[in-house]
Each structure stands twice: as C-alpha cells, then as structure tokens.
Amino acid sequence: MTSVTHHLPVITNDPALTNHLAAQLGSEWELVVVMEVAEAMPHLIDLRAQMPANLSALAEQAPLIGLVTDVASAVAALQAGIHETVTIAEAQPLCLNRAFQSARIRWQIEQMRRQQLAEARAQAQSLAVRLQNEQIRDPLTGLYTRRYLNETLDRELRRADREQIALSVALIDIDQLEQINWHFGRALGDVVLQHLAGLIGRQVRGGDIFCRYGGDELLLVLPRVTGETILLRAEQWREIVAQTVIRPGTLDLQVTISIGVATFPQDARNAVDLMNRVGEALRAAKMAGGNCVRSRRELERL
C-alpha cells in the first residue's frame, strides 16, 4: 500500500519546534517552514508566544491550525478567527490529522459564508442602483425624470452663477404625438417618443441633462451654452427630426417638433422663472404652427 505524505507548512520562529514535530510525526509528514500563509491548505502557526494582529486576515487565505500552550490561549486563538488548535502534547499523527480535517471543513464553511455575504451585498447594491434609477430614469425613454430635473436644475444654476457662465434650457414638444395616439394607439406613440428621445439624445453632450418633462415633452439643460448657440442647436434638432422617417412595423411616419429656448441669466435668474420663460417660448412655437424654434428674447421683441 502506498503511503500518503502530508505536506505541512509551519509558521514559527522556533527551530527546536520543527525538529520536535518532525521526530513526533515521522516520515509520513513533510514539514516546511514558511514565513507567511501562501496556499489554501492547512498551515500550522506557532501561537505559543503571541498572536499576530492580522490572524483573522490570514485565516481567510487558508485553514490555520494554531499551536497553543493551554486552554485559555486556545480560546483566544479561536476567537481571533483560527480554525483549530493543538498543543505540543497533541501534535501526534492521529490528533493532527483530525485537526487537519476540522480546520479544512471550518475554512470551507467560512469561505461559503463569505461568498454568500458578498453575493448578498452585490444583490443589495444592484437593487439600490435599480431603485435609484427607477426614481431618476423614465422607464419608457431612459431619460432623466422630472423629479431628477427638479433636484438638479437649482444646483446647475448655482454653479453657473458662481462660475459666471451661461446655461440654456430647451423644451421640446412632439407636434403630432396626440394624433398618432388617437389614430394608431398609445403603444405606437410610445415607439415614436422612444425613437425621438434616442435621436435627439445622440446629438447632446455628455454634460447635458436630458429629461422627459411631460407626456410628449422633452427638456434639455445645457450648461455653458449661450442664447445664440442654443438657437443654432435647437434648429439642428428640429431639422434632423423633420427629415427622419420612423418605420414602426409597416408604417412610415414623419413627425416634427416645436422647441422653446431660454437662457440664464439673460432671461431669468432662478429655476422657476427660467422654466416659465421656456414654457412661454414653446407655446409661441406651437401657436406659430409648430415645427419651429422660438426663444424668450424673440417674444420680447414682438
């Protein structure tokens, strides 16, 4: 019968201990003196003089069997996270084998618990992110919600005021969405809204805030964009949408958008007034027949 050689890494500063263990355990045991825990197999660590401060961290890497002097030090070692203890008198082949098995089983149980805890934390974190996204992201378009806008617009305006920069807003209304909902059903209207949100979203910068403001209204907050620039960009969005054919199923649809724009600080100095001004500009665009852009300053000149 082939004998099994037990490989036992021993962490100790006492050479006499290694010699004593080798004599006690015999040729079936291969003792290797090591400086640190390196493999996921049982290690014998000399705890007779003192316990390392990082004993619990070492026990996460491998099963540890602590060599102790008495019952009190055995209890302290187990409380510190070690998996099994033996004394010099118990360092016999049979006792050490039992300690091996016990330490390995306890370490495996701890590893399973750590994995389960990590998975539970990951699930909790994922759920927290999903709940947060549900609060700030519109489920249909993936754009920010009006609630998120209310939380961030004041902050963006304070920053613009502090840095003495312009900030523009653009309120977009889909001209034909009510008719599409009436004739073809709201599901098709949702497809159109999703398509336009994606189409316009690809034209905006990373620092812009793009929200679903209402049923068929989209709103953009554009830091560092002046009144002149927002008119140019809004006109570009209007042209892109007007030239796009949307093909849900067998239908070919073309829609247009109306856009109202306003700029801080020229048109308003706070969030409430700014939203009122951009709403007035959008109503002027709708009254002009749609498919156009109107600014707050244009209204003042009329």
Side-chain angles (χ1 to χ4, degrees):
M1 181 180 295
T2 303
S3 61
V4 177
T5 300
H6 300 285
H7 183 78
L8 179 61
V10 182
I11 301 177
T12 183
N13 293 320
D14 184 358
L17 172 65
T18 309
N19 295 332
H20 174 78
L21 290 173
Q24 291 290 101
L25 297 175
S27 60
E28 293 183 2
W29 292 78
E30 179 187 357
L31 273 62
V32 180
V33 178
V34 297
M35 298 302 296
E36 60 183 14
V37 175
E39 300 177 31
M41 59 178 296
H43 289 56
L44 182 68
I45 180 169
D46 189 359
L47 302 178
R48 294 173 302 161
Q50 64 179 4
M51 294 186 196
N54 64 338
L55 190 58
S56 179
L58 294 175
E60 292 185 13
Q61 303 175 49
L64 296 186
I65 302 166
L67 187 67
V68 297
T69 55
D70 51 33
V71 173
S73 56
V75 172
L78 292 170
Q79 290 175 338
I82 210 162
H83 303 99
E84 191 54 86
T85 61
V86 295
T87 64
I88 289 287
E90 293 171 326
Q92 303 291 329
L94 181 60
C95 291
L96 205 53
N97 262 319
R98 289 174 177 170
F100 254 58
Q101 297 303 319
S102 176
R104 183 179 286 111
I105 290 171
R106 289 181 180 177
W107 182 74
Q108 290 171 344
I109 291 172
E110 286 183 4
Q111 291 292 97
M112 290 175 59
R113 286 176 177 170
R114 290 190 194 101
Q115 183 178 357
Q116 291 170 349
L117 181 59
E119 291 174 353
R121 286 174 175 167
Q123 290 175 357
Q125 185 176 10
S126 176
L127 178 60
V129 170
R130 183 164 61 85
L131 290 175
Q132 183 183 24
N133 284 336
E134 287 177 356
Q135 292 179 340
I136 68 173
R137 290 286 185 180
D138 173 56
L140 177 64
T141 62
L143 303 180
Y144 288 116
T145 61
R146 188 165 180 170
R147 173 179 177 176
Y148 179 79
L149 170 70
N150 294 336
E151 294 173 353
T152 57
L153 183 55
D154 278 328
R155 183 180 68 241
E156 291 295 328
L157 287 173
R158 286 194 299 271
R159 185 173 69 173
D161 189 39
R162 183 172 62 251
E163 298 178 5
Q164 294 296 294
I165 58 174
L167 179 145
S168 293
V169 293
L171 186 56
I172 303 169
D173 181 84
I174 304 172
D175 294 326
Q176 295 85 8
L177 195 59
E178 288 186 3
Q179 292 91 325
I180 291 173
N181 287 336
W182 176 262
H183 291 290
F184 301 106
R186 185 166 295 276
L188 188 60
D190 288 347
V191 171
V192 172
L193 186 58
Q194 287 175 319
H195 182 89
L196 293 188
L199 182 65
I200 298 172
R202 289 190 290 272
Q203 316 301 319
V204 302
R205 308 167 304 171
D208 298 337
I209 301 170
F210 196 12
C211 307
R212 185 179 181 187
Y213 190 67
D216 56 355
E217 291 180 342
L218 310 175
L219 183 119
L220 274 155
V221 179
L222 302 102
R224 300 182 184 276
V225 171
T226 64
E228 293 75 16
T229 301
I230 188 59
L231 281 170
L232 294 174
R233 294 185 63 183
E235 185 62 29
Q236 290 173 349
W237 303 333
R238 186 199 63 78
E239 290 181 1
I240 289 171
V241 171
Q243 295 168 6
T244 298
V245 178
I246 305 172
R247 293 186 172 89
T250 59
L251 294 174
D252 283 358
L253 296 176
Q254 281 187 283
V255 297
T256 58
I257 55 176
S258 300
I259 308 177
V261 299
T263 302
F264 168 90
Q266 292 91 339
D267 300 324
R269 299 287 307 182
N270 60 65
V272 173
D273 289 343
L274 189 63
M275 293 309 301
N276 286 336
R277 300 295 90 80
V278 77
E280 292 169 0
L282 176 61
R283 286 192 291 275
K286 299 293 285 185
M287 291 178 63
N291 192 24
C292 63
V293 180
R294 292 289 184 268
S295 70
R296 168 63 185 175
R297 274 168 289 174
E298 287 179 325
L299 301 184
E300 292 176 349
R301 291 195 293 266
L302 295 178

